């Protein structure tokens, strides 16, 4: 495994943040390890960082670095071996008529309205449902790597149904964030988007789709384990998630 002191990490520095409230497990504190300086986290370095468990929020590249907890598991789908479940096939059929279009990574009022609607529906009271335009732009629209923004629209009405931000890596794709019309009665958009990204990775000859972090104890994260075969990063090695040791946050 590439270590932070090896190329291409030799020009980067890594620091640990102060503790902050965990976003996923109640009554827990979290810390992150951050790679700096931001302008040196280019395509090659970022691809390697993702392979050792890092992720991106805006221009900040980080990974969980908690003192006594290893609940966050980086996960990735092996796209060439992926076999959809019955419910995933239904989600694909339900939304396969959506029109996908790559658009510039710039601010759009239409996107922002859908983002706020999604936050209110899926994450009420979490603070992000009252996000500002500046925070939205910093979170999703600032990037120093190869980032794509994809719109998904209803083919009949042209109504925007979903927006997905995806980073392109040397060996795969990294799903940064997806938001959609969660109030729609056929809302399997999230599942459909991951299936779409898997097909896109295959079409580009890429091997993996990185889905960020999975937490066994977090119901919000459970969907990531259903895209099989899926691997988790354990002690520097990618292993089948089904073989992953039980990890629990300290009680």
């Amino acid at each position: 495994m590439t270590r932070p002191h090896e190329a291409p990490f030799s020009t980067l520095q890594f620091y640990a943040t102060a503790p902050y409230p965990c976003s996923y497990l109640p009554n827990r504190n979290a810390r992150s390890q951050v790679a700096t300086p931001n302008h040196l986290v280019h395509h090659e370095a970022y691809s390697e960082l993702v392979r050792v468990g890092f992720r991106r929020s805006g221009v900040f590249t980080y990974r969980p670095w908690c003192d006594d907890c290893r609940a966050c598991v980086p996960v990735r789908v092996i796209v060439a071996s992926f076999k959809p479940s019955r419910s995933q096939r239904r989600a694909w059929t339900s939304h396969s008529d959506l029109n996908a279009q790559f658009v510039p990574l710039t601010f759009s009022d239409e996107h922002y309205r859908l983002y706020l609607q999604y936050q209110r529906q899926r994450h009420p009271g979490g603070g992000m449902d009252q996000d500002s335009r500046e925070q939205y732009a910093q979170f999703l629209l600032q990037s120093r790597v190869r980032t794509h923004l994809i719109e998904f629209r209803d083919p009949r009405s042209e109504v925007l149904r979903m927006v997905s931000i995806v980073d392109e890596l040397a060996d795969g794709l990294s799903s940064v964030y997806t938001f959609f019309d969660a109030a729609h009665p056929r809302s399997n958009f999230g599942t459909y988007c991951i299936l779409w990204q898997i097909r896109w990775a295959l079409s580009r000859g890429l091997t993996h789709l990185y889905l960020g972090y999975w937490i066994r104890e977090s119901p919000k994260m459970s969907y990531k384990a259903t895209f099989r075969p899926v691997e988790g990063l354990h002690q520097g090695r990618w292993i089948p998630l089904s073989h992953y040791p039980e990890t629990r946050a300290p009680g």
Side-chain angles (χ1 to χ4, degrees):
M1 180 190 73
T2 305
R3 304 287 181 181
H5 63 273
E6 297 175 357
F9 301 153
S10 57
T11 58
L12 299 176
Q13 296 180 339
F14 299 84
Y15 72 89
T17 67
Y20 56 87
C22 179
S23 301
Y24 303 108
L25 298 176
N27 305 314
R28 310 290 182 191
N29 282 330
R31 299 175 74 196
S32 295
Q33 185 184 52
V34 181
T36 61
N38 298 330
H39 70 274
L40 293 182
V41 183
H42 48 70
H43 173 71
E44 179 187 1
Y46 182 62
S47 296
E48 292 294 334
L49 285 165
V50 172
R51 277 198 283 268
V52 297
F54 281 79
R55 190 157 174 78
R56 182 179 69 80
S57 176
V59 297
F60 295 98
T61 305
Y62 69 94
R63 65 180 170 184
W65 201 249
C66 303
D67 296 326
D68 300 309
C69 178
R70 298 294 180 269
C72 291
V73 179
V75 292
R76 67 184 188 183
V77 179
I78 306 172
V79 298
S81 304
F82 172 71
K83 302 294 183 185
S85 66
R86 181 178 300 178
S87 63
Q88 289 165 352
R89 291 195 297 270
R90 286 198 301 266
W92 179 264
T93 301
S94 180
H95 298 304
S96 60
D97 59 344
L98 289 175
N99 288 333
Q101 182 176 2
F102 290 78
V103 297
L105 190 68
T106 57
F107 183 84
S108 159
D109 284 317
E110 186 182 26
H111 295 174
Y112 184 59
R113 287 193 299 271
L114 183 63
Y115 171 81
L116 290 179
Q117 175 192 343
Y118 172 80
Q119 296 299 337
R120 287 191 293 268
Q121 291 282 339
R122 290 299 177 97
H123 306 290
M128 295 182 75
D129 54 335
Q130 299 178 354
D131 215 339
S132 71
R133 293 173 180 242
E134 182 178 355
Q135 289 172 321
Y136 166 84
Q138 289 176 349
F139 172 40
L140 294 178
L141 304 181
Q142 291 189 7
S143 172
R144 296 183 181 276
V145 297
R146 297 177 186 172
T147 301
H148 304 276
L149 192 156
I150 308 102
E151 294 180 342
F152 295 83
R153 293 183 180 273
D154 187 290
R156 292 166 292 277
S157 64
E158 285 299 309
V159 170
L160 181 68
R161 296 299 186 193
M162 180 165 56
V163 173
S164 188
I165 294 91
V166 181
D167 290 335
E168 187 172 349
L169 311 175
D171 71 326
L173 301 174
S174 175
S175 187
V176 177
Y177 201 75
T178 297
F179 54 95
F180 49 82
D181 181 2
H184 192 276
R186 295 193 302 150
S187 183
N188 289 314
F189 293 123
T191 297
Y192 171 79
C193 193
I194 293 177
L195 298 172
W196 186 91
Q197 291 171 11
I198 289 171
R199 291 192 175 208
W200 179 28
L202 274 172
S203 72
R204 298 294 301 271
L206 301 171
T207 55
H208 297 99
L209 174 64
Y210 292 84
L211 294 178
Y213 304 116
W214 170 79
I215 301 174
R216 192 188 302 271
E217 298 176 6
S218 173
K220 291 182 179 180
M221 298 288 194
S222 61
Y223 73 92
K224 298 183 181 183
T226 67
F227 293 87
R228 299 169 183 161
V230 59
E231 296 179 318
L233 185 64
H234 177 61
Q235 297 180 352
R237 294 176 56 247
W238 290 95
I239 64 174
L241 194 62
S242 58
H243 298 171
Y244 205 90
E246 181 109 1
T247 54
R248 292 189 181 275

